[in-house]
Amino acid sequence: MNRTWIFQANPEQFDIDAALASLDVIWWRTPQHAGEIEPGDIGVLWRAGPDAGVIGLAVVSGLPQVHATDLKEVPFLRDQDGATDPTTKVLLTVKPVPFVSKDRVRMIPEIARHRIITAPMGTVFPLSDAEWLALAPHLPPLPNVELNLRERSTPPALAWEQRAKGVIPLPGGYGKYLATAREICAIVYELRPSSSELISRMCETYNLTETAARIRESFLRKMGLIQVESGICRVSAWSQRWLNSGNDDVIIALLHSRCRFIGEMIAELKSAKSTDELLSVANERYQLGWDTKTQLDNRRGWLQSAGLIELIQDGMLQATQAGLALAEGLELYVPTDSTASTPVSLRDEATPGEAVVEIEDEVRLPVDELAGEIEASSTDSEHPQRFERALRDAFAFLGFDAEWLGGAGKTDVLLNALVGKHDSYRVTVDAKTTGGGVLSDQQVNWDTLTEHRQKHRADYALLVGPSPSEGRLKERSIKNNVAVMSAKQLAGLCKQHSRSPLTLFDYRQLFSSPGPVNTSSIDELAENQTRLFTLVGTICDLLDNLCTNMGRLKARDLWVILETAETGQICDEAEIQRLLDILASPLIHAIDGDEESGYVPASTLATTRIRLGRLDLSLSAEDHLGG
């Protein structure tokens, strides 16, 4: 059954309206859901920005693959930075439609809480059958498409950054991974089990614990070996082709398309290497960051069972002729100094890449404009008040009660951190602009800064300017008990705060030590905040996806899944339990349960977003005042 997707375009990056008026097909960037999009799927084309809404329809004309921009698309690029970097894209047959505004879509009850309305950060968004049925009457017919797809012998690879770092082993030892995979596919093909039934059968057949079986079932789905539709497991089209043909190259190419360092490992073993040598290559050349050889051993099982690598003398591994032949036909990642992933062939002749159409994930955030204004105004010495206003806005964004004073005998900006009678603190902020772009000691009247602090009875004094110099400025700031921050530092703090908002208690350390401000401890706090946000999202996703078939999950279950699946997230069982307690609290109640019985989703994630949105409204000043 065909699925429906919303494909969002950022008009600041790509003139999507003009492109739709001129082009019949567009290669659309697919940083999300690339492994799920299939030919024949329906696409709703959405323009981001102030005039957001539906502007076109599409039908998916091929499988997502690493692709660069067609020359016909280049004229519509508005920002060519990074546009030459190949990435995962899907070919869409497109047509423009009469504009349907975001406000009008919001009025459709089935779509009112969809992410494209409430949190439109991304490029690809799934639409449920009910959502598409509700939206379709507002749109004209789909474009006519004849899917004359060229038959591929192997699946196309996703971009390197979209492939998983972790590969899971199967029972049977290095030589029997594929035999086990065939047995599991046979169970799926013959019995059509649910995920929970398949997990139970794997426990019985291979003497696995429930957690171990669950992890392997999840991995087989992620790599595209099996699919789950309406709660029933089925073998994928690629798996069916593998089973019918007996060609193991198909399944290894599928693994390569979804996981890093598969075909690349075969290519690196053109000359024999020990696992220690291969680990060095994986970390130094491919930046995989593995501390142990476990992931290499897991990959060895898949490749060795397919006869693509072999163990030779002295424990060395080497690619077979069959392995090298397969690698020649795969799109391999070649590390470069940039972060771009470049698909190439092992053949001597490489096809030059074309430019990439970059359709950005999200609309430019207002904080970017604020950060730009902070830096630009710091060197506008003819208009010093411009910089002062920018500082007020910046610190207000960080959570302070920020007041622009200026004038003779007053500090430029006064900050109040209102966090209780005994914990609140006050900061005087003096702004210094300089057209030369470097703030020196000669430009600062240190006695005036001291007077400002005393007059306002402030706990701290801060000086902000463009690129404060070292040497005497540093010495005098320490002597006069004044913290010194660059405009660039403050701009960076604002951008960071938009992603990982910290508290006024956290920001106090910016002012508590005189001299040049060191933001490293703040950066660590922000990184940890981001990690916690990501971990909460992962926990909710795991509960949402697994509990239907598995029942309640405990912190231990979730920790084992995260550890074994090698998601890259760093956590421990106790931390997961603390987050579960928060999610299960009466106020949020995103999940239901306790530490002893385990947890399940209390409702849909959409309902949780509504509850959190209501909390946001309850915290607003208007709500407190009855507005």
Side-chain angles (χ1 to χ4, degrees), residues 197-208 213:
E197 290 169 341
L198 178 58
I199 289 168
S200 177
R201 182 62 68 98
M202 290 170 65
C203 289
E204 296 171 5
T205 305
Y206 303 109
N207 195 29
L208 297 173

Side-chain angles (χ1 to χ4, degrees), residues 45 105 124 134 208 215 260 294 298 343 365 444 458 461 600 605 615:
L45 306 184
V105 175
V124 183
L208 297 173
I215 291 167
R260 300 181 196 178
T294 300
N298 293 349
L365 296 174
V444 183
V600 293
L605 293 178
L615 176 61

